[in-house]
Amino acid sequence: MERPAWAPPGIDISVPSVSRIYDYYLGGSHNFEVDRQAARRAMEFMPGLPKIMQANRAFMRRAVRHAVAEGVTQFLDIGSGIPTFGNVHEVAQAASPEARVVYVDHDPVAVAHSRAVLDGDDRTDIVAADLRKPKEILAAPEVGRLLDLERPVALLLVAVLHFLEDSDDPYAAVAGLRDALAPGSLLILTHASYEGIPLTEEVAGGVVDVYRDIRNPLVMRTGQQIADFFDGFQLLEPGLVSMPDWRPDRPGGEAEGETPEDPYAFSGFGGVGRKA
């Protein structure tokens, strides 16, 4: 397999990556055939996966604009993935030129591309780190340079917690991040769930099997289990809901690629909470 010029040296391009599979679902070009094969296998069970990802991105953009409208202009996006159009820093800085963003990812392709995209942007940076090690994230020099943790921060955990198994203690990871944030900080979160998917759990479970086969287990949690991540945060209206139902820009839907009439768009949950 020929290594593309954009692929960082040292990565195994024969192994699928969650970040690159997500890039493929969104119509990106920074993925390999092995990623596309895994994505197509998952779509055999759940053909609406790209619609779910589009709804996820549209939710993220609305939540970021809401944060800025609330006066929160610092963003810590963990599990940020490969940069695509309409990333957090683009949305936040369009709403406030003062916005500062730190991305965090453990995928070397995502980190390398983020560095290339962000070159010359002194208000945005990328950290190579893992959500399972919140202390390392908080101690990163990029965080210290760009974010003032004495002031409110918007913490984004968008489509990432479902890749942490219970044995990884994801609730402790979120709590560790929460405890470092100032009052008034926001938690912006989305998570996969069997609830809302227009398929039987048995059929949808085929997608879980695909991700398990590529050694990236996908954990489908219940609405209550997802709500538990907001411990210490007050959920903002309308609460933890399907992503198109969280403060749509217009009645009946969101114009940014989201197609709420597609039942797959309503799979999983999204919500925003504020730390008291």
Side-chain angles (χ1 to χ4, degrees):
M1 183 186 303
E2 184 177 349
R3 179 181 295 274
W6 52 262
I11 68 163
D12 186 348
I13 63 175
S14 68
V15 177
S17 152
V18 166
S19 295
R20 298 192 305 265
I21 292 171
Y22 187 73
D23 178 70
Y24 173 74
Y25 289 143
L26 290 174
S29 59
H30 294 106
N31 48 77
F32 306 130
E33 180 56 28
V34 67
D35 306 307
R36 296 188 285 273
Q37 288 175 356
R40 288 192 288 264
R41 282 176 55 209
M43 290 169 63
E44 289 177 5
F45 297 98
M46 195 181 298
L49 278 167
K51 293 297 183 184
I52 297 172
M53 306 313 166
Q54 291 165 16
N56 185 77
R57 294 287 293 184
F59 163 86
M60 178 273 290
R61 294 175 187 135
R62 296 196 306 277
V64 166
R65 289 195 294 266
H66 172 79
V68 174
E70 291 286 306
V72 179
T73 57
Q74 303 187 104
F75 296 85
L76 180 60
D77 182 3
I78 302 177
S80 50
I82 294 171
T84 57
F85 176 74
N87 256 25
V88 171
H89 74 284
E90 294 174 328
V91 177
Q93 291 171 358
S96 170
E98 300 302 310
R100 296 171 179 264
V101 179
V102 176
Y103 292 114
V104 180
D105 208 286
H106 67 88
D107 185 314
V109 172
V111 172
H113 275 285
S114 295
R115 286 186 176 139
V117 168
L118 302 174
D119 185 38
D121 184 342
D122 62 1
R123 293 185 178 275
T124 312
D125 213 334
I126 175 75
V127 175
D130 194 307
L131 172 57
R132 287 166 285 204
K133 300 177 179 179
K135 290 182 179 179
E136 291 184 10
I137 294 172
L138 295 166
E142 296 87 350
V143 172
R145 179 176 72 85
L146 284 175
L147 304 183
D148 178 1
L149 297 183
E150 298 299 315
R151 297 173 46 240
V153 172
L155 169 64
L156 286 92
L157 298 175
V158 174
V160 62
L161 284 166
H162 47 234
F163 292 115
L164 268 62
E165 297 183 273
D166 291 343
S167 59
D168 295 318
D169 205 352
Y171 296 98
V174 175
L177 293 163
R178 176 202 65 209
D179 292 347
L181 301 180
S185 292
L186 301 176
L187 172 59
I188 298 171
L189 182 153
T190 66
H191 197 297
S193 176
Y194 285 121
E195 297 176 40
I197 295 177
L199 297 170
T200 66
E201 185 171 325
E202 182 180 13
V203 173
V207 176
V208 175
D209 292 339
V210 170
Y211 279 89
R212 184 183 298 113
D213 289 345
I214 65 171
R215 299 182 182 179
N216 283 284
L218 177 62
V219 182
M220 306 287 264
R221 295 187 169 94
T222 66
Q224 183 56 58
Q225 289 171 326
I226 298 166
D228 288 344
F229 284 115
F230 287 93
D231 183 39
F233 295 89
Q234 180 182 4
L235 272 168
L236 305 184
E237 291 294 334
L240 187 67
V241 295
S242 65
M243 292 174 289
D245 289 328
W246 196 89
R247 304 193 182 196
D249 282 348
R250 58 182 183 175
E254 158 71 53
E256 295 180 273
E258 184 178 320
T259 52
E261 66 275 8
D262 189 307
Y264 281 101
F266 294 88
S267 304
F269 292 94
V272 178
R274 180 186 294 111
K275 183 177 176 180

